[in-house]
Amino acid sequence: MESRSIVVKGARVHNLQNVDIELPEGELVCFTGVSGSGKSSMAFDTIYAEGQRRYVESLSAYARQFLGQLEKPDVDSITGLSPTVSIEQKAAGRNPRSTVGTMTEIYDYLRVLFARVGEPHCVACGTPIGSQTRDGIVDRILSLPKGTRFSVLAPIVQGRKGEYQDLFEDLQRQGYIRARVDGRTVLLTQTPNLERHIRHDIEVIIDRLVAKPEFRARIGEAVDSALRLSEGTLLVSPEDGEDLLVSARFSCPSCGLSATPPSPQLFSFNGPQGMCPTCRGIGKHVRMDERLAVPHLEKSVAQGAVAPLGVPRNRWKMHYYEGVLRRHKCDLDTPWKKIPARGRRELLRGVKARIELEWKRRNGSIYRHQGRFEGILPPLEQRYVESASGSVRKRLGAYMLEGPCSDCEGARLKSEARSVLIGGKSLPDVARMTVEDAHEFFADLALSETNQTIAEDALKEICGRLVFLLDVGLNYLSLDRTAPTLSGGESQRIRLASQIGSGLVGVTYVLDEPSIGLHHRDNNRLLDALCRLRDAGNRVIVVEHDEDTMRRADRIVDFGPGPGQLGGQLVVDGTWKQVARSKASVTGAYLSGRCKIGVPLSRRTAEKWLTIRGAQHNNLQNVTVKLPLSVMSCVTGVSGSGKSSLITDILHEALARDLNRAETHPGDHKVIDGVENLDKVIEIDQQPIGRTPRSNPATYTGAFGPIRTLYSELAESRVRGYKAGRFSFNVKGGR
């Protein structure tokens, strides 16, 4: 019978020295050794790389041209290799649209769940939305001001790609004359040639009418035709006004407002049907901070209280400012601090309704009229976004801050999607929950018998994936946590949870230190997840330094004995007890207790302190912490306890602002005492140092600069006129 083991012979990748190794199927194997001993060279650059290369070679020539040619590892032979999957310790990406929910596909199932069993509510009054009768729709249309001219339209294509020439011809055969295509009215005999790769909206114009009681029968016929053509939805488009969406299936019984039937697309913040129109589904947008925009409260508007506006000179705009202030019994000379809060808000952000205005002509007469005021700041924000001038963006950028969207408040979805509830919670409410809270919510969710049957499959997938996240120690993450804010270890464990949920069998998984950043309290849950992956019929290879992982592994393959050129050899291969007995293994010496990390006999004492007072950022609850200076301090706690919130989001951001003059925005806290004892702050995080092939340790650390200078000062270099740049491979004269 053919062996199912992976057999590697003569591996020479990087510092590996003709290493032979055999890995049986269905084992949890731990690669250990000192840093630089060759563990990753064997696991990732040999076994995983060869598995990927063979997979790519099995594809068609057409597919391979998009993937590129993968280099064959320097190895004599590899046999018994199954499909390989790498779960490396790297950031999840910089895309703010990617979240924990989307990475694990939980959000996709939530969209289906809310579309199928969610209860729509009116966005205006919160009343549950039900179906609307044909006569009710006619009454709703006749409630328009008498004499209003309007058109009845049937929406048949909404946000879909295609050319639709056959559709236009079919509508002509049915007797229709006009349609509105992408907001423009056209004759069906003269329809435009639509771009097939662009999304289009097509509404058929059923009839053009006037809102009068004597036209009730004709309006009813138009409603019947529109509902039949568009399967239950129609648009009423007045000549002077916004379109009114009316549905025979979903409308508010209180205020008559209609809504589109829920669909999975409605709950996607990456598509136009569901995303918030203000922030485009990001949940945040850049807007002017009112505290920065009005730094001097004792000044009046006429004196330049609004800093980005300065002293107003435009008389036409000033009469709008006067109209707003007059509503609150103030004028342009009133100090800002004496203007009521509502008046300040209206002046900066605008007034929805029309306001009374007085324009003083140069001859002394007064022209009284009504107008809409959009506010002082929105036009400046728009100018900042659209301007190509660096000086304009720099001047206005000093007042800009990134904050939650003013419309969706960070929920990312439009109001219709936020108004669909399950168990009293909207989809954004569920996404804001932690993994642990979401699991409890769905475990206790009570649905009707019919809805339970409909939601059974979606609930099973959601709960299963939440359990996998709990198993890898990520119970503290919220489902809407964005990918750029995740650490490398968290991203790796999320991908591990996704792989456990995929149910693949016969795969070789290669993991890079999955326990890094994980509290020892959660280590057993992570190891149980790895064992579950192994027991499903997979081979699991873990590159790890963690002692608990070594003791739980079926086998340990120890590389060494030293780093770099001193390593690259297979020191010992066996159980952890066999490795512990090996005299040649450095790892075994620490496993057996022969070597230990010594505890210092005496410790340094601090004379100066840094005190953070009243920290309330994220989950911190009014914490006050004293940190000693001139000593090494360690901030610990279980995952999600608030360590990064305190040190990274508050302390580093505040010190970078005060010492390095960086434009940062620290988390919520009262004050930090002792900053005067420091002169600068440096952050060393988990982000990679760069991806350019021209960078190496010597260039990154700056050591290459003095070396080039030394060579340029040699006698022969001076004779030839060589400068330091001559010895750089990044400039034309040196490379």
Side-chain angles (χ1 to χ4, degrees):
M1 183 176 177
E2 184 181 353
S3 172
R4 301 294 296 272
S5 300
I6 294 179
V7 180
V8 181
K9 291 187 177 296
R12 294 177 295 276
V13 176
H14 298 156
N15 66 332
L16 294 177
Q17 301 178 22
N18 280 307
V19 174
D20 298 341
I21 189 174
E22 182 175 347
L23 303 175
E25 186 184 30
E27 285 192 349
L28 173 59
V29 182
C30 184
F31 283 9
T32 65
V34 298
S35 298
S37 59
K39 308 181 298 297
S40 297
S41 297
M42 175 61 77
F44 291 98
D45 300 327
T46 303
I47 296 175
Y48 170 69
E50 178 64 9
Q52 286 295 99
R53 189 187 70 83
R54 292 183 184 181
Y55 168 71
V56 171
E57 285 192 348
S58 69
L59 301 176
S60 66
Y62 176 78
R64 288 202 303 271
Q65 69 177 334
F66 299 105
L67 298 174
Q69 187 70 29
L70 298 179
E71 185 179 353
K72 188 180 188 302
D74 187 7
V75 60
D76 291 340
S77 68
I78 301 180
T79 59
L81 193 60
S82 59
T84 56
V85 175
S86 166
I87 307 178
E88 296 183 70
Q89 185 196 123
K90 60 182 180 181
R94 307 302 302 172
N95 187 355
R97 293 186 180 275
S98 180
T99 66
V100 173
T102 59
M103 291 167 65
T104 56
E105 298 181 354
I106 291 175
Y107 195 84
D108 296 329
Y109 288 103
L110 286 175
R111 289 167 50 202
V112 174
L113 181 69
F114 273 81
R116 298 294 175 256
V117 300
E119 183 180 12
H121 288 68
C122 177
V123 297
C125 63
T127 305
I129 292 179
S131 60
Q132 193 168 353
T133 64
R134 179 255 197 193
D135 290 337
I137 294 174
V138 174
D139 291 337
R140 181 80 177 89
I141 295 174
L142 288 174
S143 67
L144 294 171
K146 189 174 182 179
T148 301
R149 295 182 177 273
F150 64 92
S151 299
V152 177
L153 299 91
I156 53 177
V157 174
Q158 289 183 297
R160 297 207 307 267
K161 299 176 182 179
E163 297 177 339
Y164 298 107
Q165 290 299 324
D166 294 340
L167 174 64
F168 293 140
E169 293 174 3
D170 183 53
L171 292 172
Q172 284 187 66
R173 285 193 293 268
Q174 295 182 44
Y176 296 105
I177 301 173
R178 296 177 180 83
R180 192 170 69 178
V181 180
D182 296 334
R184 189 163 57 92
T185 301
V186 297
L187 292 172
L188 290 175
T189 55
Q190 302 173 357
T191 54
N193 294 323
L194 302 181
E195 293 285 344
R196 59 180 298 188
H197 299 298
I198 297 178
R199 299 179 187 273
H200 301 288
D201 295 324
I202 300 175
E203 297 112 7
V204 179
I205 298 177
I206 305 297
D207 202 350
R208 293 186 287 187
L209 302 157
V210 181
K212 291 183 178 180
E214 54 265 31
F215 291 123
R216 183 181 183 90
R218 185 174 167 185
I219 293 173
E221 292 175 0
V223 168
D224 289 336
S225 299
L227 293 177
R228 184 171 58 253
L229 190 62
S230 61
E231 299 181 353
T233 306
L234 62 86
L235 284 171
V236 178
S237 179
E239 287 186 355
D240 299 318
E242 297 182 357
D243 290 351
L244 176 67
L245 175 65
V246 183
S247 173
R249 290 172 290 181
F250 288 92
S251 63
C252 177
S254 299
C255 60
L257 190 67
S258 297
T260 55
S263 65
Q265 291 77 17
L266 180 66
F267 300 98
S268 172
F269 49 75
N270 291 325
Q273 290 177 280
M275 67 170 57
C276 170
T278 302
C279 64
R280 309 293 294 172
I282 297 295
K284 297 181 179 180
H285 66 165
V286 177
R287 60 183 303 183
M288 283 196 172
D289 183 74
E290 296 177 8
R291 292 173 297 179
L292 297 176
V294 188
H296 304 294
L297 302 181
E298 67 279 359
K299 287 186 177 182
S300 65
V301 175
Q303 294 172 330
V306 184
L309 177 68
V311 177
R313 304 291 184 187
N314 189 307
R315 290 182 63 243
W316 182 258
K317 291 183 179 179
M318 288 172 66
H319 99 282
Y320 274 89
Y321 306 157
E322 289 175 333
V324 174
L325 291 170
R326 194 181 301 113
R327 291 158 51 94
H328 304 281
K329 299 180 180 179
C330 300
D331 56 34
L332 292 176
D333 295 319
T334 304
W336 187 266
K337 60 184 178 182
K338 293 186 178 181
I339 301 175
R342 184 176 178 182
R344 299 181 194 177
R345 186 170 59 253
E346 290 183 352
L347 195 61
L348 294 177
R349 292 294 169 189
V351 185
K352 292 184 178 180
R354 291 180 176 271
I355 60 175
E356 298 290 337
L357 300 168
E358 293 183 358
W359 169 249
K360 296 180 181 179
R361 298 189 178 97
R362 296 190 184 277
N363 60 9
S365 61
I366 296 177
Y367 165 56
R368 291 181 174 85
H369 66 106
Q370 291 185 337
R372 296 186 184 275
F373 179 61
E374 61 179 339
I376 295 175
L377 299 186
L380 295 174
E381 292 169 346
Q382 189 70 19
R383 187 182 179 193
Y384 172 81
V385 172
E386 297 177 352
S387 177
S389 170
S391 60
V392 171
R393 292 182 62 85
K394 182 178 180 180
R395 182 177 67 83
L396 296 179
Y399 308 102
M400 308 296 283
L401 281 181
E402 184 182 69
C405 173
S406 56
D407 285 352
C408 67
E409 297 180 348
R412 298 174 175 238
L413 298 174
K414 60 171 58 174
S415 56
E416 291 89 338
R418 302 197 304 270
S419 300
V420 180
L421 307 180
I422 292 180
K425 301 287 186 182
S426 66
L427 196 152
D429 293 336
V430 175
R432 291 191 185 102
M433 295 180 181
T434 63
V435 171
E436 189 170 10
D437 292 340
H439 183 261
E440 292 179 3
F441 172 76
F442 286 111
D444 299 335
L445 183 63
L447 297 174
S448 65
E449 185 176 350
T450 303
N451 284 346
Q452 186 67 42
T453 303
I454 296 172
E456 182 178 1
D457 291 339
L459 283 175
K460 179 182 176 182
E461 294 292 341
I462 291 169
C463 292
R465 281 166 166 76
L466 289 173
V467 169
F468 296 143
L469 289 173
L470 291 172
D471 289 342
V472 295
L474 296 176
N475 55 300
Y476 60 93
L477 290 181
S478 62
L479 295 177
D480 64 352
R481 176 85 172 263
T482 55
T485 64
L486 296 171
S487 68
E490 288 170 338
S491 302
Q492 185 185 33
R493 290 196 289 278
I494 287 174
R495 287 192 289 269
L496 174 60
S498 300
Q499 289 298 324
I500 297 173
S502 66
L504 294 177
V505 177
V507 175
T508 297
Y509 286 100
V510 185
L511 292 90
D512 182 19
E513 299 185 43
S515 67
I516 193 166
L518 189 65
H519 195 273
H520 283 281
R521 184 197 69 171
D522 302 317
N523 237 10
N524 282 333
R525 297 166 73 179
L526 172 64
L527 293 173
D528 289 341
L530 293 176
C531 291
R532 194 177 301 116
L533 202 61
R534 173 202 62 191
D535 297 340
N538 301 296
R539 183 187 289 105
V540 182
I541 300 173
V542 182
V543 177
E544 188 60 273
H545 295 289
D546 178 63
E547 182 178 352
D548 293 338
T549 306
M550 297 181 196
R551 294 180 183 273
R552 285 283 294 272
D554 299 309
R555 290 177 62 203
I556 294 178
V557 180
D558 190 45
F559 291 85
Q565 295 180 350
L566 302 177
Q569 301 176 29
L570 185 60
V571 177
V572 60
D573 179 1
T575 64
W576 75 267
K577 293 182 179 179
Q578 292 173 320
V579 174
R581 289 195 296 266
S582 174
K583 302 296 184 181
S585 172
V586 178
T587 305
Y590 282 92
L591 276 176
S592 63
R594 298 193 303 272
C595 292
K596 296 181 180 179
I597 299 175
V599 178
L601 298 177
S602 62
R603 299 183 185 273
R604 302 174 67 175
T605 57
E607 297 180 357
K608 298 179 180 180
W609 298 77
L610 198 66
T611 305
I612 307 171
R613 301 186 186 277
Q616 296 179 328
H617 183 60
N618 291 340
N619 63 334
L620 295 174
Q621 301 179 19
N622 199 25
V623 174
T624 296
V625 179
K626 292 182 67 178
L627 299 173
L629 299 179
S630 302
V631 300
M632 185 172 76
S633 301
C634 182
V635 181
T636 65
V638 297
S639 300
S641 58
K643 306 181 296 296
S644 297
S645 297
L646 179 70
I647 302 301
T648 305
D649 298 344
I650 295 180
L651 180 61
H652 173 261
E653 296 287 288
L655 294 180
R657 178 195 62 193
D658 298 339
L659 301 178
N660 301 353
R661 298 183 180 180
E663 294 183 2
T664 59
H665 307 289
D668 189 14
H669 69 287
K670 292 180 180 177
V671 69
I672 298 180
D673 299 329
V675 178
E676 66 276 3
N677 297 318
L678 303 172
D679 61 354
K680 65 179 177 180
V681 61
I682 299 174
E683 181 188 26
I684 303 175
D685 57 16
Q686 295 180 345
Q687 298 299 323
I689 62 176
R691 300 185 63 86
T692 172
R694 294 186 178 276
S695 178
N696 58 45
T699 59
Y700 186 78
T701 58
F704 202 51
I707 294 174
R708 291 189 293 112
T709 302
L710 176 63
Y711 272 85
S712 68
E713 293 176 352
L714 295 176
E716 189 172 352
S717 297
R718 292 184 176 184
V719 170
R720 298 188 180 190
Y722 288 173
K723 303 296 183 183
R726 190 77 178 188
F727 300 94
S728 172
F729 47 74
N730 289 324
V731 297
K732 186 176 181 180
R735 58 173 172 254

